[in-house]
Amino acid sequence: MPVQDNNRFECVEEPFDTWMIWDNAHERPAELGALALIGLSYSSASILCSKLNDPDAGPATVEAERNLGNL
């Protein structure tokens, strides 16, 4: 799968209108801890993808979004 815009992570549509975050570096679905980032809504996948590709946002930023119910 080609890297788009030199981003490590990208949103990929799955069957049945769900989305996953693809990790281009490892060529598999991305993981957050032990959680595979699959079966997501488009809005959650989009937010996560942006955060994961942001060099200034660390894991704490993604975890904070999740705790706030934004993901």
Side-chain angles (χ1 to χ4, degrees):
M1 184 169 279
V3 176
Q4 296 178 349
D5 301 325
N6 296 323
N7 286 329
R8 177 176 171 182
F9 301 98
E10 64 181 289
C11 296
V12 176
E13 188 171 11
E14 301 174 302
F16 308 112
D17 298 322
T18 58
W19 292 79
M20 75 167 152
I21 307 297
W22 186 258
D23 183 340
N24 288 308
H26 294 107
E27 297 184 351
R28 64 177 184 217
E31 297 176 345
L32 184 59
L35 179 66
L37 301 178
I38 59 174
L40 304 169
S41 68
Y42 175 77
S43 61
S44 292
S46 179
I47 290 168
L48 272 171
C49 202
S50 294
K51 299 291 182 184
L52 290 169
N53 283 316
D54 182 355
D56 296 326
T61 304
V62 174
E63 187 65 27
E65 292 284 342
R66 194 169 119 199
N67 289 338
L68 289 171
N70 294 335
L71 304 177

